Amino acid sequence: MAVEMQMASPSEALATTDGRLVDLVDGLLDHGVVLRGGLWLTVADVELVFLGLDLVLSSPQKMRELKT
Amino acid sequence: MKRFAIGWCLADCPCPEDVHKTDVGPLAILSVSECQASAPRQRLHHQVSCFDLGMDLLPIAPRAVLTEQDAVEGAAAHAPHIMEHIERLAGLGQLTLLLSGPEIVAERPARGNSWLRRRQAERHEAEETVQKMQRAVLRLISNSGLPLRILHNPKRGTVQCHLLVQRTEAARIRAGIAAEAQTLPAETGLLQVTGLWPPYAFSQLQEPQADRAVA
């Protein structure tokens, strides 16, 4: 006996209640373009911390608006 | 009306009626009204609709919230990179393979040292199973020579593999995977093949050099 196999189109995957496919689609939500940056925090020429940043191209005001 | 950006494409692309297109030089920003795209899954749905129309779309991660104006500013700042990526991904899409291992039957709970030993053994077994599954997935696609990204999750007992394929070749590659899957033993688990998706796993702009802040 061979491995069980299923095929699904994106619309089928989006509409499914199969937990595995739901997880798969949820995983895709994090993929795609995220503009990234980084920042070294330095005190007296000593590098202390590197911050990896997902660069959100939005003002704090806009972010507050989106949350409400 | 507030709109959320879902991606970039070339300015001359036609797009679905419910998607708004704003041209910025040679690029266009695709966006959808807030009421139709407030949830990440809704944004993904619109990206898929655009992709299904044949658009070469550089998708923004659906979970990232960017307004149309943010994307216009992003296009201004990263135009060469965005253009380069759209051209690189033209005519390509993503097939996603998910291999889920057989369900592990939970044993009766034990106590103390035996519980710790059992947990350790289970973790070890899960790691080994996923490694085996990863080898099985690689076997499925070993002759394709396609760009791929593999993610494994021992905790859930799954291996996920994203393949970058030509749209026109997708059906043939799917059929090839199905034929190859016949050679995998049943105990490997369940193989689910989905797509064709926009090329999410291959749409990442290069990281700019780290900035420095000096106190």
Side-chain angles (χ1 to χ4, degrees):
Chain A
M1 267 247 305
V3 66
E4 188 188 343
M5 187 174 164
Q6 293 170 357
M7 301 272 191
S9 67
S11 50
E12 288 166 339
L14 278 164
T16 188
T17 52
D18 176 344
R20 287 167 293 227
L21 283 183
V22 170
D23 283 352
L24 183 148
V25 172
D26 275 348
L28 292 179
L29 300 177
D30 294 319
H31 290 274
V33 173
V34 178
L35 301 170
R36 286 178 185 278
L39 184 71
W40 278 101
L41 292 182
T42 307
V43 175
D45 284 342
V46 179
E47 287 165 350
L48 297 177
V49 181
F50 178 79
L51 298 174
L53 302 171
D54 284 352
L55 182 60
V56 181
L57 294 169
S58 187
S59 65
Q61 181 58 36
K62 276 184 194 164
M63 291 297 284
R64 274 185 222 113
E65 283 171 18
L66 289 174
K67 277 187 180 171
T68 55
Chain B
M1 186 203 297
K2 193 187 289 178
R3 280 191 283 257
F4 291 125
I6 57 169
W8 294 275
C9 66
L10 296 180
D12 54 358
C13 282
C15 70
E17 273 180 16
D18 50 355
V19 174
H20 183 82
K21 192 157 73 81
T22 309
D23 290 351
V24 182
L27 287 174
I29 285 101
L30 299 168
S31 57
V32 181
S33 67
E34 184 184 15
C35 60
Q36 287 182 305
S38 55
R41 271 177 168 258
Q42 289 176 304
R43 294 194 280 276
L44 183 134
H45 171 79
H46 287 292
Q47 290 166 333
V48 169
S49 304
C50 290
F51 182 77
D52 285 349
L53 268 187
M55 293 178 73
D56 288 321
L57 156 87
L58 184 64
I60 291 169
R63 230 189 287 268
V65 179
L66 282 189
T67 63
E68 184 185 29
Q69 185 54 36
D70 296 330
V72 170
E73 288 162 18
H78 298 273
H81 263 112
I82 293 172
M83 284 292 288
E84 188 190 319
H85 274 68
I86 291 174
E87 281 162 15
R88 187 173 60 84
L89 294 170
L92 299 169
Q94 173 181 315
L95 273 181
T96 294
L97 280 62
L98 177 70
L99 189 57
S100 312
E103 279 191 36
I104 297 164
V105 183
E107 288 175 27
R108 283 178 61 189
R111 287 181 181 183
N113 284 346
S114 62
W115 181 83
L116 284 173
R117 274 196 297 274
R118 186 166 58 78
R119 293 283 296 164
Q120 206 171 17
E122 279 172 2
R123 250 199 311 272
H124 187 68
E125 195 182 333
E127 280 282 356
E128 273 191 350
T129 307
V130 164
Q131 292 292 335
K132 264 189 224 166
M133 286 160 55
Q134 188 160 322
R135 283 196 291 274
V137 168
L138 285 172
R139 212 178 102 196
L140 286 177
I141 52 177
S142 59
N143 295 325
S144 67
L146 295 166
L148 59 92
R149 295 243 154 93
I150 285 200
L151 308 163
H152 63 269
N153 187 341
K155 218 171 172 184
R156 291 193 175 172
T158 61
V159 174
Q160 214 179 97
C161 174
H162 306 294
L163 288 172
L164 188 63
V165 306
Q166 290 282 349
R167 282 178 195 253
T168 50
E169 291 288 291
R172 189 185 62 78
I173 292 166
R174 234 187 252 120
I177 291 169
E180 200 62 44
Q182 297 300 309
T183 65
L184 292 180
E187 58 268 22
T188 313
L190 170 68
L191 177 68
Q192 290 168 301
V193 181
T194 67
L196 206 60
W197 299 97
Y200 289 106
F202 305 89
S203 301
Q204 281 156 2
L205 298 182
Q206 269 186 334
E207 288 190 15
Q209 221 174 2
D211 293 321
R212 281 165 191 269
V214 179

